[in-house]
Amino acid sequence: MAVEQAAGPARGRTLVRNIGLLLSGDLGAPVLEADALLIEDGRIAAIGRSAELAGHGPAHSVIDAHGSAVSPGLVDSHVHPVIGDWTPRQNQIGWIESCLNGGVTTMISAGEVHLPGRPKDIIGLKALAITAQRAFLNARPAGVKVLAGAPVLEQGMVESDFAELAAAGVTLLGEVGLGSVKTGYEAQRMVAWARRHGIQSTIHTGGPSIPGSGLIDKDTVLEADADVIGHINGGHTALSEAHVCELCERSSRAIEIVHNGNERVAIAAAQAARDLGQLHRVILGTDSPAGSGVQPLGILRLISLLASLGRIPAAQAIALATGNTARIRGLDAGLIEVGRAADLVFLDRAQHTAGRDLLHSIELGDIPGIGGVMIDGAMRCGRSRNTPPAERVPEVLGH
Ligand SMILES: [Zn+2]
């Protein structure tokens, strides 16, 4: 189990050259006219042509992408971590490291709800949130950035609780509806307090996920007005397609689609957002670990689902899981832009796909092969042990 202290970014200058396709993560302009990146102290310092960037002075290391594509690291907008790289939900160790091998470089907690004996009293839930926030900040499993510390709303919380959480560094709420606060009017008041103190909220949408949780219908979602309509396609039981489309239309909040949800409704939600000209509101998550398990390739599979059956162009589908989430969640990664953290995925079409190239293969419903993953300028894995083999993989040419 590779849990390590946050080591800070890679020092020095790295040139990534011979990129065959540079995906920006930006929905409006998903492909960049460039084939090289210069990285300094873990951040993107320049984007351009290989020859031009090589002229910026000597690099401490060079990575030859050998014509493979580079995209921002994938962001999983909806996970349920507990502690380190262990999940009690499926009693599995190393699940986050497995997701790194699926291209995920950042995960966002929707609540540490699987902790055995999770405290539901107010001081206890605050203590858990602060502990989770600190623990994942201090130790990144396999290098993955896990934004955790997402308390679940319980009845009796007052505004000063949110002020206290915010002052302690908590920036997220766990899924509204998983605790004792289940009605729209109660949730709305707490969500507004959270927002006033800079804490972002997500609401559970749809039927109960496991015995003990409940239904959150579209009227409750609209009334609560959380920042993110969490798993709009259900976790796993979805609302009707008509109600999901109504949520896309009547709410202006982020539309989160998850792997561990209803796939048919996932496609309907993405298409409703596209038809409304609101694709920039769509973000992707796995909602794992869950009853359905842990899916190391969940984000890639969701991209492929939306690009193939949902007919969202593949480069845009990738932007849903990178730049969109970065903007909505206020991350400093997720986009290929100067100044952003150098969290990158090297990917190519999988060997023997029927697709002409990477994007075409995704639009045919295949998942890409990952040849390497970088976080803060440091390579965290080479050829993925979980994806099908990529045709071309990057090579680190040394220092
Ligand atoms: Zn949920």
Side-chain angles (χ1 to χ4, degrees):
M1 181 162 63
V3 175
E4 55 195 73
Q5 296 300 308
R11 292 283 156 215
R13 177 181 281 189
T14 300
L15 175 67
V16 184
R17 67 184 192 205
N18 295 332
I19 299 170
L21 175 72
L22 186 54
L23 297 162
S24 67
D26 178 6
L27 194 65
V31 176
L32 291 170
E33 287 298 318
D35 69 356
L37 292 172
L38 192 64
I39 295 162
E40 272 181 21
D41 296 339
R43 293 194 173 268
I44 299 170
I47 304 164
R49 293 279 158 201
S50 296
E52 159 195 326
L53 297 193
H56 279 232
H60 301 98
S61 70
V62 174
I63 297 173
D64 191 326
H66 286 306
S68 62
V70 167
S71 97
L74 305 178
V75 183
D76 187 335
S77 177
H78 193 129
V79 295
H80 292 292
V82 167
I83 203 87
D85 207 352
W86 169 66
T87 171
R89 193 75 189 86
Q90 300 299 343
N91 201 13
Q92 192 176 331
I93 289 171
W95 70 279
I96 295 173
E97 192 260 343
S98 254
C99 293
L100 170 77
N101 277 263
V104 172
T105 53
T106 298
M107 293 179 163
I108 295 163
S109 175
E112 296 77 37
V113 291
H114 300 151
L115 180 85
R118 166 168 69 91
K120 296 177 180 170
D121 62 300
I122 293 166
I123 195 165
L125 73 89
K126 288 192 289 189
L128 171 60
I130 294 164
T131 302
Q133 186 271 338
R134 296 285 191 282
F136 282 103
L137 183 71
N138 292 338
R140 292 181 179 175
V144 174
K145 299 169 178 174
V146 182
L147 277 63
V152 172
L153 296 183
E154 300 288 354
Q155 285 175 343
M157 291 180 78
V158 294
E159 183 170 2
S160 60
D161 292 316
F162 296 88
E164 192 182 347
L165 284 163
V170 170
T171 60
L172 300 163
L173 286 190
E175 273 178 72
V176 176
L178 296 188
S180 55
V181 173
K182 294 191 189 292
T183 63
Y185 74 93
E186 284 175 305
Q188 184 190 50
R189 197 160 66 135
M190 292 191 187
V191 159
W193 284 334
R195 188 175 290 131
R196 193 178 301 162
H197 293 282
I199 297 175
Q200 197 178 49
S201 53
T202 296
I203 189 162
H204 173 97
T205 308
S209 46
I210 50 171
S213 65
L215 165 73
I216 302 285
D217 63 13
K218 60 118 174 131
D219 293 321
T220 308
V221 173
L222 288 169
E223 189 176 6
D225 195 32
D227 298 307
V228 177
I229 306 171
H231 55 59
I232 196 167
N233 59 320
H236 180 281
T237 311
L239 302 177
S240 70
E241 281 189 24
H243 285 184
V244 166
C245 293
E246 191 180 332
L247 284 176
C248 292
E249 215 173 310
R250 289 181 57 199
S251 166
S252 60
R253 302 299 182 183
I255 298 165
E256 185 189 74
I257 296 174
V258 300
H259 183 271
N260 279 335
N262 176 315
E263 288 164 283
R264 178 185 164 122
V265 176
I267 292 166
Q271 292 182 334
R274 179 196 60 195
D275 295 347
L276 290 164
Q278 302 275 301
L279 216 44
H280 60 276
R281 288 167 53 204
V282 177
I283 58 180
L284 307 185
T286 56
D287 194 3
S288 72
S292 297
V294 172
Q295 296 83 21
L297 307 184
I299 297 293
L300 287 177
R301 286 170 53 81
L302 203 44
I303 288 169
S304 174
L305 176 81
L306 297 178
S308 56
L309 297 179
R311 300 197 176 280
I312 307 288
Q316 289 195 357
I318 291 170
L320 306 182
T322 53
N324 272 15
T325 323
R327 287 190 174 125
I328 285 168
R329 299 295 198 173
L331 307 177
D332 82 338
L335 286 152
I336 304 295
E337 281 179 0
V338 170
R340 295 242 173 198
D343 296 356
L344 308 177
V345 183
F346 295 80
L347 64 176
D348 197 10
R349 67 174 189 168
Q351 291 174 14
H352 303 293
T353 170
R356 284 187 304 275
D357 53 33
L358 170 72
L359 297 178
H360 186 231
S361 73
I362 294 171
E363 286 163 6
L364 292 183
D366 282 335
I367 54 171
I370 288 180
V373 181
M374 173 187 280
I375 299 177
D376 286 338
M379 291 302 285
R380 287 296 179 167
C381 75
R383 195 193 274 279
S384 167
R385 62 179 166 84
N386 289 332
T387 67
E391 229 163 45
R392 294 167 292 189
V393 297
E395 186 185 0
V396 180
L397 296 176
H399 299 267

